[in-house]
Amino acid sequence: LFFSNTEKEIIAEINAGSDGLVPQSVTYKDNGVVSAVGEILPANQVLVSPNPASENALFTVEGFAAGDYFVRLFDARGQMVLVEKLAKGNGNVDLTGMSGGPYFYQVYDEKNKAVASGVLLKIND
């Protein structure tokens, strides 16, 4: 149930499946119409964990079309320091031997189209 700062009643209600995790429907205050029924697909996203990382970082591609994905890492000067294929949308990237600091990543598909980008912080133990 969601409330707003100005309303004193429920403005939206999300009903989950039997597992309590997967949203099944959403009902809004203004019209009471169920706007989604059934499983709601996860948003396209790329997860990086752990972040910050010391030795390895796992890149996981979720919600995108099946196919090959790659990750590029750039140092703070913008120099590409690594290109790695993500097997089945997942890939453990080895960071050993790299200097500590921020690295910019870009995940792209087999057509060289960028699908995500972000920052990975490399720490030295």
Side-chain angles (χ1 to χ4, degrees):
L1 302 177
F2 293 88
F3 299 87
S4 77
N5 291 338
T6 58
E7 298 293 324
K8 299 298 182 203
E9 56 188 289
I10 299 167
I11 59 171
E13 180 179 353
I14 299 174
N15 296 306
S18 59
D19 63 1
L21 301 174
V22 178
Q24 297 296 313
S25 66
V26 178
T27 305
Y28 295 93
K29 173 191 165 199
D30 60 338
N31 60 11
V33 174
V34 175
S35 60
V37 176
E39 183 176 350
I40 298 173
L41 298 175
N44 298 349
Q45 60 183 343
V46 174
L47 305 173
V48 182
S49 65
N51 192 5
S54 59
E55 296 178 7
N56 295 289
L58 177 64
F59 284 77
T60 305
V61 176
E62 294 182 349
F64 291 98
D68 292 330
Y69 290 87
F70 303 83
V71 63
R72 295 178 183 141
L73 282 184
F74 300 88
D75 64 17
R77 297 175 299 157
Q79 299 295 313
M80 187 169 21
V81 295
L82 180 133
V83 176
E84 183 102 16
K85 183 176 180 180
L86 304 177
K88 296 183 182 180
N90 297 305
N92 200 22
V93 176
D94 184 9
L95 304 174
T96 56
M98 296 173 67
S99 300
Y103 288 86
F104 302 96
Y105 66 82
Q106 179 185 52
V107 176
Y108 60 101
D109 64 15
E110 55 199 8
K111 296 177 184 173
N112 206 30
K113 178 184 173 194
V115 297
S117 61
V119 177
L120 170 65
L121 184 59
K122 164 71 165 88
I123 57 174
N124 292 327
D125 290 335

